[in-house]
Amino acid sequence: MRGGRWRGEEKRGRSGHRQRPRGRRRLGHGPDRSEQEEPQTSVNADPSSNGNPSSSSLTQNSVVPELPGFYYDPEKKRYFRLLPGHNNCNPLTKESIQHKAMESKRLRLLEEEEKQNKKTTRPGLNSSMLLQKRQLGLLSSTSYCRMVHELKVNCMQRRKIEIHSPDSSVAGTNNFKIIVADVACERIFTVNDVEHGGCKYGIINLSGLGKESLTVEMYDNLYFTNRKVNSVCWASLTHPDSHVLLCLMGIAETPGCASLLPASLFSSTNPGDRPGMLCSFKISTAWSCAWCLNPQADNCFSTGLTRRVLVTNVVTGHRQTFGTSSDVLAQQFATQTPMLYNGCRSGEIFSIDVRQRNRKGQSWKAIRLFHDSAVTSIRLLEAEHYLMAADMAGKIKLWDLRTVKCVKQYQGHHNEYAILPLHVNEEEGLLTAVGQDCYTRIWSLQDAHLLRTIPSPHPSSKDAIPSVVFSSRLGGRRGVPGLLMAVKQDLYHFSYN
């Protein structure tokens, strides 16, 4: 055995690579054992690597073969038995192994961020270089501002926000599920899970973000439901962002509904103000919703249902129904034209002109795009010539609506089955999305370059996917730039340095 080992090391020393010995491979130390004996808990991957540092380094870099019923631990450099086996008291599964690897990666990235080891992903990108190019006239004002935002995004630092509430029992007691900012980014509407399985609503005022104390005020209300909230958006009924539109799933014999809640219900700044109109519309299970800001379809909202689209006028109660071949999971109205864009479970994206009356067949679909998987989010860019779409295969594509072609793809997003939103900030030139792996990723809108990947402060799980808001003016016109992240019971602010 020693001679065989010496010859194997000699061959490796001459060729520079490990050569696998011929014959039957032994999976363990000690003398041979019959198959009837009790199996080993762990199996050495390469017995000849013991005591040889150069050999161990080669083993790390080489591809370790998969053995049925075992998994390879790269740290201990050994194989361990999977189920079924004699170690059922502490079972090992692929899911637990993957979760352990993801958790170690998350902790390592968090440690790097705390040490402020973040570097720009673009070679040579720094503030002095940008300023020099700007002074020499090599950069336009738009490109300069965009690249400054890219530089600042890489330097954002996480700080925990202290949430104050007139009701001390509100803040920090329920997990955040959804946060949605209004157009001015002065308030965010929150949906929180409650203990008995329902949801509770609130509004957080972001005016305190510009102060050194980094505190925000949260106003809660007694409105809660035991039904799941599928979609939320702000609605401008009496004035900009005066209401919040929610889509609730039906349970048992209770049908689903779309509810309009006045934002004044959650504010205590003007107790003399009368609350706005509160109304609810009974509908079947709604997957998505959108509010129309175009004057040609004033006071209208849309809900994406199972195989149909329902457009409702809040004031008159008039409804229009458009039949589809698949569930509608994402919606957005255009502002320059009364067009409604829809993303379906089948992967189709189509637009509807809500002014038309003929709805026979599929002829009313003005534009049709196709993804290979269910579309979970769509966002129109400001000029409304381009549309951003994400699907359940983790693909994010930018479509040119004039040529009906995909012009860019943003790599790195992770999604398999969740309905996750996209956040487009065209002024800053950034695209933000949270993946099913609980990582927040930020891309450059212009060239689809991945600028930063932010790990979650909490261990990743299905009920701990962060909800985020990005803006250069959090808190209003004089607000501060950065990213808001709500996960579990905590709210974080990633501020520009």
Side-chain angles (χ1 to χ4, degrees):
M1 184 66 186
R2 293 181 179 175
R5 181 181 301 179
W6 178 84
R7 284 194 296 270
E9 292 178 351
E10 184 180 12
K11 291 179 181 179
R12 185 178 64 246
R14 291 178 181 177
S15 62
H17 300 281
R18 182 184 305 277
Q19 297 184 4
R20 181 178 295 178
R22 297 181 181 178
R24 182 179 178 181
R25 182 176 183 180
R26 295 181 58 193
L27 300 176
H29 296 291
D32 295 338
R33 299 185 179 184
S34 63
E35 296 181 357
Q36 286 77 15
E37 294 184 13
E38 183 180 356
Q40 296 286 333
T41 302
S42 61
V43 183
N44 195 353
D46 190 355
S48 64
S49 63
N50 292 339
N52 193 340
S54 62
S55 175
S56 63
S57 63
L58 284 170
T59 304
Q60 270 188 335
N61 298 328
S62 61
V63 178
V64 180
E66 292 187 3
L67 298 181
F70 292 86
Y71 90 98
Y72 180 75
D73 191 327
E75 296 180 357
K76 298 181 180 180
K77 302 175 184 177
R78 300 178 75 89
Y79 286 95
F80 288 87
R81 182 181 295 278
L82 292 170
L83 287 178
H86 65 283
N87 55 344
N88 290 338
C89 58
N90 186 21
L92 295 171
T93 61
K94 287 186 178 180
E95 289 76 13
S96 62
I97 295 168
Q98 292 175 356
H99 182 75
K100 180 182 177 182
M102 291 177 59
E103 182 62 14
S104 61
K105 177 184 176 182
R106 185 188 70 86
L107 294 175
R108 176 175 54 81
L109 292 176
L110 283 177
E111 185 178 356
E112 291 178 0
E113 290 202 343
E114 290 177 358
K115 293 180 180 179
Q116 299 181 4
N117 290 337
K118 292 297 297 179
K119 297 181 180 179
T120 58
T121 56
R122 295 187 189 273
L125 180 62
N126 55 70
S127 56
S128 59
M129 182 271 291
L130 289 180
L131 184 59
Q132 184 179 6
K133 285 188 175 182
R134 176 61 177 152
Q135 292 174 346
L136 293 174
L138 301 178
L139 284 177
S140 63
S141 58
T142 304
S143 299
Y144 175 74
C145 293
R146 177 180 55 81
M147 298 192 76
V148 166
H149 279 291
E150 289 188 10
L151 187 64
K152 294 294 185 180
V153 160
N154 282 279
C155 302
M156 290 192 304
Q157 298 178 1
R158 185 182 78 248
R159 295 188 297 172
K160 188 175 180 180
I161 296 178
E162 185 178 354
I163 302 175
H164 291 170
S165 174
D167 183 4
S168 59
S169 63
V170 171
T173 57
N174 304 115
N175 293 337
F176 286 102
K177 183 181 178 182
I178 302 173
I179 61 172
V180 182
D182 60 5
V183 175
C185 285
E186 298 175 345
R187 303 162 297 171
I188 57 174
F189 182 79
T190 67
V191 179
N192 298 72
D193 291 329
V194 293
E195 294 181 357
H196 65 268
C199 295
K200 186 166 58 175
Y201 317 132
I203 284 183
I204 293 180
N205 191 338
L206 300 179
S207 59
L209 280 180
K211 303 177 183 178
E212 296 180 359
S213 59
L214 199 68
T215 59
V216 294
E217 296 290 334
M218 181 172 183
Y219 301 103
D220 195 26
N221 203 287
L222 297 178
Y223 285 94
F224 67 91
T225 177
N226 59 350
R227 291 181 286 180
K228 178 183 177 182
V229 178
N230 274 348
S231 184
V232 178
C233 70
W234 286 85
S236 302
L237 185 58
T238 57
H239 56 273
D241 297 330
S242 60
H243 288 66
V244 178
L245 176 64
L246 300 100
C247 288
L248 307 177
M249 284 192 69
I251 55 172
E253 298 179 355
T254 305
C257 70
S259 298
L260 270 174
L261 301 180
S264 56
L265 289 174
F266 302 89
S267 176
S268 63
T269 54
N270 298 315
D273 292 348
R274 295 181 180 179
M277 181 173 64
L278 171 64
C279 53
S280 180
F281 301 88
K282 292 183 179 180
I283 55 176
S284 59
T285 299
W287 300 102
S288 57
C289 63
W291 182 267
C292 184
L293 295 175
N294 187 276
Q296 297 185 60
D298 198 20
N299 299 325
C300 287
F301 72 90
S302 175
T303 48
L305 312 178
T306 301
R307 298 192 175 187
R308 61 193 178 106
V309 174
L310 184 63
V311 179
T312 306
N313 188 302
V314 177
V315 178
T316 64
H318 177 70
R319 290 186 172 186
Q320 292 178 268
T321 303
F322 300 85
T324 65
S325 59
S326 181
D327 303 341
V328 181
L329 305 181
Q331 290 185 310
Q332 186 181 5
F333 274 101
T335 56
Q336 299 178 10
T337 57
M339 300 290 292
L340 172 64
Y341 290 85
N342 306 267
C344 297
R345 192 183 299 276
S346 62
E348 181 185 9
I349 301 172
F350 62 88
S351 62
I352 302 173
D353 189 339
V354 297
R355 296 170 297 182
Q356 62 183 341
R357 295 292 179 262
N358 183 18
R359 298 186 291 275
K360 295 181 180 180
Q362 304 291 317
S363 60
W364 45 265
K365 294 182 179 180
I367 296 177
R368 301 183 72 179
L369 312 170
F370 295 93
H371 278 235
D372 295 330
S373 182
V375 177
T376 60
S377 180
I378 55 176
R379 285 292 176 268
L380 279 168
L381 271 62
E382 189 172 342
E384 298 184 359
H385 296 316
Y386 296 93
L387 180 139
M388 191 82 67
D391 59 30
M392 288 190 183
K395 304 291 185 183
I396 300 178
K397 298 181 180 182
L398 180 65
W399 293 88
D400 190 330
L401 298 177
R402 297 163 294 185
T403 61
V404 198
K405 292 183 179 180
C406 175
V407 294
K408 284 187 181 70
Q409 290 197 43
Y410 299 79
Q411 304 293 336
H413 186 53
H414 179 77
N415 189 16
E416 294 178 357
Y417 58 81
I419 300 179
L420 302 173
L422 290 174
H423 306 274
V424 178
N425 298 89
E426 204 165 351
E427 181 181 352
E428 296 83 5
L430 301 174
L431 168 68
T432 307
V434 180
Q436 195 177 322
D437 55 357
C438 298
Y439 283 86
T440 302
R441 294 174 176 88
I442 304 176
W443 294 266
S444 168
L445 264 181
Q446 185 179 26
D447 58 4
H449 185 75
L450 181 60
L451 301 174
R452 185 169 178 183
T453 302
I454 303 175
S456 172
H458 291 265
S460 60
S461 62
K462 295 180 181 179
D463 59 345
I465 298 178
S467 183
V468 299
V469 168
F470 184 90
S471 175
S472 58
R473 291 181 291 271
L474 289 173
R477 293 182 178 179
R478 298 183 179 180
V480 294
L483 176 78
L484 282 181
M485 177 185 291
V487 55
K488 288 291 188 180
Q489 299 176 358
D490 301 323
L491 185 64
Y492 298 92
H493 179 220
F494 289 78
S495 60
Y496 281 9
N497 187 6

